[in-house]
Amino acid sequence: VQLQASGGGLVQPGRSLRISCTASGSIFSISTMGWYRQAPGKQRELVATIDSGDSTNYADSVKERFTISRDNAKNTVNLQMNSLKPEDTAVYYCNARILTTGALKWATFWGQGTLVTVSS
């Protein structure tokens, strides 16, 4: 199983950016998917999660600005980021709780990360 993130880049404060992550490989089912971020010199922190019933959870720092969504047909999770601030600058990592085929075991997988830089 692999998670491939895309869509990061440089954006000015106040602007928007959308990042996506697609899971591929031996997937039977996916439960919770989420985004985490790690800024330089800081620990990785939760940004947002979405479960298989589309219930969402957000960090207080991104509520009302970020929206997480998923496309189950494409095994994709998206993060729409609006009103970006310099403090949102970080490497964003996606993760997913996946039931793999064959062994039929649940495991958590991480993407490689995509850099989001908010700067004028």
Side-chain angles (χ1 to χ4, degrees):
V1 174
Q2 290 187 327
L3 270 64
Q4 181 69 45
S6 61
L10 173 64
V11 62
Q12 293 180 330
R15 303 298 292 267
S16 299
L17 193 67
R18 180 182 173 93
I19 56 178
S20 297
C21 177
T22 298
S24 62
S26 302
I27 298 170
F28 185 83
S29 180
I30 303 177
S31 60
T32 301
M33 305 183 82
W35 288 97
Y36 292 71
R37 67 186 181 186
Q38 187 167 16
K42 294 187 177 182
Q43 289 188 333
R44 190 174 298 189
E45 62 176 4
L46 169 73
V47 176
T49 61
I50 183 167
D51 68 17
S52 57
D54 286 340
S55 292
T56 58
N57 178 52
Y58 295 93
D60 288 342
S61 59
V62 306
K63 281 181 181 177
E64 309 301 327
R65 299 190 298 123
F66 290 11
T67 301
I68 190 171
S69 62
R70 63 191 286 171
D71 183 336
N72 293 323
K74 297 180 180 179
N75 290 338
T76 296
V77 59
N78 306 300
L79 188 67
Q80 177 67 41
M81 303 181 288
N82 299 329
S83 303
L84 281 161
K85 304 175 181 180
E87 50 264 44
D88 294 318
T89 295
V91 177
Y92 284 71
Y93 297 91
C94 58
N95 87 342
R97 186 74 174 163
I98 295 174
L99 181 63
T100 57
T101 58
L104 286 179
K105 287 186 176 181
W106 288 99
T108 298
F109 295 88
W110 290 87
Q112 85 285 4
T114 186
L115 177 61
V116 173
T117 303
V118 184
S119 175
S120 55

